[in-house]
Amino acid sequence: MKIEWRYSLINNLPLIALWISFLAFNGLSPRGWSRFSVPLVILGAFWLIYYLFFERSYFRRHPEQRPGSHLISGLGWIMTFLVVMVAFIVLLKFHDSTIASPAILLGSFALISLIRDSLSVKKLAVEK
């Protein structure tokens, strides 16, 4: 199985930017859910710039890297399920500590997406 790290990084860069901006503005405070608007505005601006100046031209040059040309593999779904269950258990068990902060939760979603997308396979490889 080939790890699709480039596809995973291209697809999840805006989510990683949201996580980094949330860490920069709110830190690891478990009460940071009410201050979610500034990172979302930063994400919107970053996503627009990222899409207009990088992603469109990249997908024109590399059409095989488009999200529609990949399928999530069985191993990707298993890993996603396991990581989501662990994150859910940690969130329920430690809901008042810094482990359950929005920054940690966004970081775990970014990790889940990176793992899932890196374990995907190209549709052409499945159809052969």
Side-chain angles (χ1 to χ4, degrees):
M1 171 179 257
K2 183 179 174 187
I3 305 263
E4 296 285 337
W5 64 270
R6 184 176 297 141
Y7 167 73
S8 179
L9 186 64
I10 297 288
N11 261 358
N12 295 301
L13 199 57
L15 185 59
I16 294 169
L18 175 65
W19 177 56
I20 290 171
S21 67
F22 198 82
L23 274 175
F25 284 96
N26 296 329
L28 294 174
S29 169
R31 306 283 185 242
W33 289 104
S34 61
R35 297 179 289 176
F36 206 59
S37 60
V38 172
L40 282 177
V41 169
I42 291 173
L43 172 71
F46 175 77
W47 208 324
L48 184 65
I49 292 168
Y50 172 74
Y51 176 75
L52 291 175
F53 293 110
F54 176 73
E55 198 173 68
R56 280 193 326 182
S57 63
Y58 181 80
F59 285 151
R60 277 190 216 122
R61 287 182 306 221
H62 303 283
E64 72 278 0
Q65 295 294 330
R66 290 179 189 243
S69 65
H70 283 76
L71 295 172
I72 308 302
S73 66
L75 180 60
W77 284 116
I78 291 170
M79 292 298 294
T80 300
F81 177 76
L82 290 175
V83 173
V84 165
M85 287 294 112
V86 167
F88 187 68
I89 290 169
V90 166
L91 185 63
L92 288 177
K93 183 109 173 122
F94 302 104
H95 59 85
D96 283 334
S97 72
T98 58
I99 293 174
S101 71
I104 298 294
L105 193 61
L106 282 172
S108 66
F109 285 147
L111 178 66
I112 290 167
S113 294
L114 282 169
I115 289 172
R116 185 196 66 211
D117 288 343
S118 66
L119 294 174
S120 68
V121 292
K122 292 183 180 177
K123 279 186 180 178
L124 295 176
V126 174
E127 293 171 356
K128 288 182 181 179

